Amino acid sequence: NEFISTVAIKVELEPSERNSKDNKTGTKQVVFGMGKKDASIHEVLQEVRDGEVKREGALKHRHDVGAPLESLLLYTTRSCFFGGVHAEGKPGSVVVVPYPFREEKLFELQVHAGPVTRMCLNYEHTSLFSASADGSFAYLQIADKSGKRGPIAQTQ
């Protein structure tokens, strides 16, 4: 599958994996890729030795989101993904996908008439900015359910 957007993070190894002679860093790399053909987020584990990727990743999980998402972002607390809908005939929406993945209705907010082309978070992780092929720009404030702004993990 071809990816239209990716996010790569390093995660701590499990204690059983940490004893491996091959991995001295105590971390592994996880890549999340938005599939172009199947409109799913693919969670791929990559083997990293001494800071270098040693082999192609193994698919750990695939989560269907229903539409291809451009500019996939993983929120600072790793509690959710933000993605912009980039599909023919669909308006430009910002979608929030909870992570770890679970089967629940995704939060979607239409903010553009055309497909979303770019997204980014501000430095404080309290605002999301998106731009569209239609020339519009959107500013969204990020808050938890109680209305507190900022990284969600700090408020729970």
Side-chain angles (χ1 to χ4, degrees):
N1 199 350
E2 190 177 328
F3 294 143
I4 57 174
S5 185
T6 60
V7 174
I9 60 171
K10 291 193 184 250
V11 295
E12 291 295 319
L13 289 171
E14 299 294 324
S16 61
E17 297 172 310
R18 216 170 269 178
N19 298 330
S20 170
K21 294 177 187 175
D22 294 335
N23 193 318
K24 298 173 186 170
T25 61
T27 60
K28 61 184 168 187
Q29 183 167 306
V30 180
V31 176
F32 298 94
M34 184 68 227
K36 187 174 188 175
K37 294 178 184 173
D38 64 0
S40 297
I41 297 175
H42 299 250
E43 185 176 0
V44 179
L45 298 177
Q46 290 189 312
E47 184 179 326
V48 179
R49 288 189 209 148
D50 300 325
E52 292 183 32
V53 176
K54 292 298 182 186
R55 66 177 175 87
E56 288 187 25
L59 181 66
K60 179 181 177 187
H61 186 75
R62 189 176 73 80
H63 184 71
D64 183 31
V65 292
L69 302 179
E70 184 79 23
S71 299
L72 193 63
L73 298 172
L74 182 61
Y75 191 57
T76 309
T77 61
R78 298 181 181 172
S79 59
C80 65
F81 286 92
F82 295 106
V85 174
H86 190 95
E88 291 293 324
K90 284 195 161 203
S93 300
V94 172
V95 177
V96 180
V97 181
Y99 183 77
F101 300 120
R102 34 189 194 276
E103 296 302 321
E104 64 181 50
K105 187 174 164 90
L106 305 178
F107 179 76
E108 184 173 351
L109 181 65
Q110 183 183 344
V111 292
H112 302 287
V116 174
T117 55
R118 297 282 188 267
M119 290 190 348
C120 70
L121 293 165
N122 71 338
Y123 179 73
E124 298 168 332
H125 308 285
T126 57
S127 302
L128 177 72
F129 303 96
S130 69
S132 172
D134 65 9
S136 63
F137 176 79
Y139 160 77
L140 304 166
Q141 287 187 348
I142 299 171
D144 67 2
K145 290 180 182 181
S146 69
K148 293 182 183 176
R149 292 188 64 203
I152 297 167
Q154 293 178 357
T155 61
Q156 291 182 346

